[in-house]
Amino acid sequence: MLTLTNLQVLYDRSIQAVRDVSLTVPKGKVVALLGSNGAGKSTILKAISGVLGQEDGEVIGGDIRFEGDSLVHAAPRAIIERGLLQVPEGRALFATLTVEENLIMGGYTRSPAETREGLERVYAMFPRVKERRKQISGYLSGGEQQMVAIGRALMGRPRLLMLDEPSLGLAPQIVETIFETVLALNRDTGLTVLLVEQNAQVALKAASYGYIIENGRIVLDGPADKLAANDDVQEFYLGFAAGERKSMRDVKHYKRRKRWLS
Amino acid sequence: MDFLVLLIATGLVAGATYGLIAIGFALIYKATGVVNFAQGELVMLTAYIGYSLAGAFGLTFIPLLLVAVPISMAVGLVLERIFIRPMLGEPPFAIVMVTVGLAVILRGLIIVVWGSQPANFDAGIPTTVIRLGNVPFYPAQLIMIAALGLVVLAMWAFMRFSRYGIAMRAVAANETAALLTGVSVSRIHALAWVLSSGIAAIAGMLFAANFKLAPDLWFQGLKSFPAVILGGMDSIVGAAVGGIAIGLIESLSQGYIGEGMREIAGFIVIILVLMVRPYGLFGSRDIERV
Ligand SMILES: Nc1ncnc2c1ncn2[C@@H]1O[C@H](COP(=O)(O)OP(=O)(O)O)[C@@H](O)[C@H]1O
Ligand SMILES: [Mg+2]
């Protein structure tokens, strides 16, 4: 459904945040993109959504194809209308708007009737959000904000939903609720999901396939269960000790490991 | 007692002018994050456009509004396209400097087109005095106050209920997130200029009808600054309340403290406000919470 081939992204005409990323998100699947802070995950999502321009970023190589068509030069709105929506890192709600206004904005590309229907669906999915619909979204708790952010994206009627670190800063219980909701959507409606996470443990449980990115390059990929069982992944990304490995590379990885645990 | 009532009446009229101009500032600042230093010049330009339209077609006030406001909106759209749009993505400071340049250009242009002599422009409003109680008003004064009320009401409803109004607030809150919901941020910026220019036309023509039409009208833009800051820069209701408050403060201090106070009272107030509440009385402090 979505295919990136040899994607390269440059910020400020000088900082290469994505060096070589190829990945595929098949229709109806949940695919995880894992990597530590600064690896280039959010940059990839911004490139897919066409909003790199906001930060003086640019796709300088490779291609992004959605159902066969290149999105590299598409406007953000056209990308949304094709059904590619993203829940940005850190929620990025319209903090001064009410919860309901945030959701209405999510339906900006949709008709008033679709927006009304979308509100009902989101409220049914997240009763907590419904309770708070008249409140200013900036004052909600982190978990509630994440629900509103997901609800806002769902208002755009996604066929492929991209989630940028939805577990960031949330209590495990809330993470579980949110993942369950997204996975239920995948199961029941066939929603395709690209899940970006630092939290490998949670993500590999939810996904069927995973990619691991380091310094702007995909370094490893495979079915989620294989990845979770892989020695390297276990040692460096999931925090299990596995045998003796004493190369310099491991030492370097060890420093990184701490950031992977959560 | 009569003296006080008279001062209040004068203050309300001046305050309504400030309020209307300040709403124009607030709209552009809210949507684009730029202080438009050409707002006073926009008020002056649209007043002159109204003057020419009224002269050409002999229009009374309401028809004049119906013609001059849309034309002024179109002018706003063109100015935004030429001067502001190419600056999209540049640092706000650079854009503010462009508005300063635009202000100077408009001032010159107006003298070139309409000359430097003041003109009488009644904006098609009758000049028979109306008495409310025992306070005499010119119709243009009452219309100014009513116009502020109507504009505030219309803008409030627009921001609250229209999808473009909600989108404007969304852009103000988080531009990238707005893009991710499919909003064209540049169109929202243009819309802010369009609305602001329409309101400028109302303010400019009514100011001219109340006082005179002269190429120094732009100065009212500067004089509205205290109202903008008191109101908190990005709040429409705040701008209106700020305008009325500054108008009353100026008028009362002129009356009771002395000649010349009118010119400085507003600026004394903003210095005090900035010291105590840097985000104004109604402005939004950024909501920070994770
Ligand atoms: N707006 C920007 N301008 C310049 N460099 C950036 C910008 N955003 C991110 N980067 C850099 O690009 C790299 C990847 O960042 P990002 O995609 O945010 O990583 P991740 O989401 O995996 O944490 C980092 O080195 C970061 O410093
Ligand atoms: Mg990130």
Side-chain angles (χ1 to χ4, degrees):
Chain A
M1 191 177 207
L2 176 72
T3 314
L4 312 190
T5 39
N6 306 111
L7 188 71
Q8 290 175 278
V9 178
L10 202 61
Y11 282 115
D12 303 321
R13 297 177 184 280
S14 56
I15 303 161
Q16 186 152 11
V18 175
R19 294 167 190 279
D20 182 12
V21 168
S22 300
L23 61 80
T24 304
V25 185
K27 200 176 168 100
K29 299 288 187 211
V30 178
V31 172
L33 175 60
L34 307 169
S36 57
N37 213 355
K41 306 180 297 298
S42 298
T43 302
I44 292 171
L45 293 198
K46 286 172 196 164
I48 297 171
S49 289
V51 295
L52 280 174
Q54 282 294 103
E55 298 173 33
D56 214 357
E58 197 186 353
V59 173
I60 54 160
D63 203 358
I64 302 168
R65 285 188 175 266
F66 186 62
E67 297 180 325
D69 302 320
S70 176
L71 299 181
V72 173
H73 299 291
R77 185 181 174 118
I79 295 168
I80 291 166
E81 282 173 344
R82 296 208 51 169
L84 257 167
L85 278 111
Q86 122 162 226
V87 181
E89 185 176 284
R91 276 75 82 175
L93 293 186
F94 305 117
T96 52
L97 272 59
T98 65
V99 166
E100 185 151 299
E101 285 169 340
N102 269 273
L103 296 177
I104 288 171
M105 282 307 298
Y108 193 77
T109 57
R110 301 292 164 188
S111 72
E114 284 175 314
T115 302
R116 246 176 285 126
E117 188 206 325
L119 279 177
E120 271 167 39
R121 263 189 300 133
V122 171
Y123 287 151
M125 210 174 298
F126 299 114
R128 285 266 282 289
V129 170
K130 183 174 188 180
E131 278 167 36
R132 307 213 170 249
R133 67 185 191 277
K134 298 286 174 212
Q135 294 186 20
I136 300 294
S137 64
Y139 294 126
L140 265 52
S141 73
E144 290 164 342
Q145 290 197 0
Q146 188 61 264
M147 292 176 198
V148 177
I150 292 173
R152 183 177 63 184
L154 293 176
M155 293 290 296
R157 300 192 157 223
R159 293 191 300 129
L160 195 164
L161 185 66
M162 304 180 279
L163 297 144
D164 197 345
E165 302 204 32
S167 75
L168 195 70
L170 301 184
Q173 228 174 336
I174 295 167
V175 173
E176 200 171 314
T177 314
I178 286 172
F179 272 60
E180 268 167 23
T181 312
V182 172
L183 290 178
L185 279 168
N186 168 257
R187 232 181 304 118
D188 304 341
T189 70
L191 177 70
T192 311
V193 177
L194 175 55
L195 175 61
V196 165
E197 268 296 348
Q198 286 192 58
N199 186 338
Q201 209 139 13
V202 179
L204 285 178
K205 234 185 281 167
S208 60
Y209 200 89
Y211 293 85
I212 292 178
I213 179 172
E214 278 182 12
N215 289 321
R217 278 181 223 279
I218 300 292
V219 293
L220 197 63
D221 69 287
D225 48 348
K226 293 248 170 62
L227 274 186
N230 177 294
D231 281 351
D232 277 328
V233 176
Q234 289 214 339
E235 182 170 1
F236 305 122
Y237 301 93
L238 293 173
F240 299 127
E244 300 147 45
R245 296 149 163 264
K246 294 247 164 16
S247 72
M248 278 308 289
R249 184 170 149 269
D250 295 341
V251 177
K252 202 176 71 187
H253 272 196
Y254 179 73
K255 285 186 195 153
R256 241 179 263 146
R257 187 170 112 187
K258 286 191 205 156
R259 282 175 287 176
W260 280 93
L261 301 172
S262 56
Chain B
M1 189 58 206
D2 270 1
F3 182 57
L4 174 65
V5 172
L6 209 65
L7 288 178
I8 290 177
T10 318
L12 281 178
V13 175
T17 316
Y18 296 149
L20 277 173
I21 299 175
I23 289 172
F25 269 112
L27 261 174
I28 290 181
Y29 183 78
K30 190 179 179 70
T32 72
V34 166
V35 178
N36 175 22
F37 274 93
Q39 194 66 31
E41 285 71 10
L42 205 54
V43 171
M44 176 160 78
L45 173 67
T46 49
Y48 270 100
I49 290 173
Y51 171 66
S52 287
L53 287 168
F57 303 109
L59 300 169
T60 54
F61 182 63
I62 298 291
L64 177 61
L65 271 191
L66 293 179
V67 178
V69 169
I71 290 179
S72 300
M73 287 174 153
V75 168
L77 185 66
V78 171
L79 290 178
E80 196 273 342
R81 192 40 82 79
I82 296 174
F83 290 93
I84 307 299
R85 180 73 62 93
M87 299 293 292
L88 196 70
E90 302 293 331
F93 173 76
I95 306 177
V96 169
M97 290 315 292
V98 169
T99 70
V100 172
L102 174 62
V104 175
I105 292 171
L106 290 182
R107 264 179 244 162
L109 183 78
I110 281 163
I111 292 180
V112 169
V113 175
W114 285 282
S116 56
Q117 289 306 307
N120 277 321
F121 174 36
D122 61 13
I125 299 171
T127 48
T128 41
V129 171
I130 300 172
R131 288 189 164 275
L132 293 184
N134 52 1
V135 191
F137 283 99
Y138 285 110
Q141 293 180 309
L142 295 177
I143 292 175
M144 180 71 97
I145 296 169
L148 177 67
L150 289 175
V151 165
V152 169
L153 205 66
M155 289 316 302
W156 175 82
F158 171 76
M159 289 293 181
R160 193 76 24 208
F161 303 117
S162 131
R163 50 192 253 111
Y164 293 108
I166 299 175
M168 195 173 273
R169 286 159 54 221
V171 167
N174 190 330
E175 221 172 84
T176 304
L179 276 176
L180 288 173
T181 59
V183 176
S184 161
V185 169
S186 54
R187 252 188 237 177
I188 293 292
H189 287 186
L191 179 62
W193 275 78
V194 165
L195 292 174
S196 182
S197 302
I199 295 169
I202 298 172
M205 291 191 297
L206 285 174
F207 181 85
N210 270 292
F211 303 95
K212 66 180 182 338
L213 183 62
D216 63 356
L217 205 162
W218 60 269
F219 191 65
Q220 293 308 311
L222 272 189
K223 288 221 68 188
S224 303
F225 245 88
V228 183
I229 290 170
L230 187 63
M233 294 300 289
D234 63 353
S235 161
I236 285 165
V237 175
V241 174
I244 294 287
I246 297 290
L248 289 174
I249 290 167
E250 283 184 2
S251 175
L252 293 173
S253 55
Q254 170 94 355
Y256 290 112
I257 301 174
E259 191 76 18
M261 277 310 287
R262 183 187 310 246
E263 307 308 320
I264 59 169
F267 286 90
I268 293 175
V269 170
I270 56 167
I271 290 168
L272 293 178
V273 166
L274 286 175
M275 287 177 184
V276 183
R277 280 177 73 100
Y279 40 88
L281 295 183
F282 293 81
S284 42
R285 244 181 312 184
D286 285 342
I287 299 174
E288 295 275 355
R289 176 140 185 197
V290 214

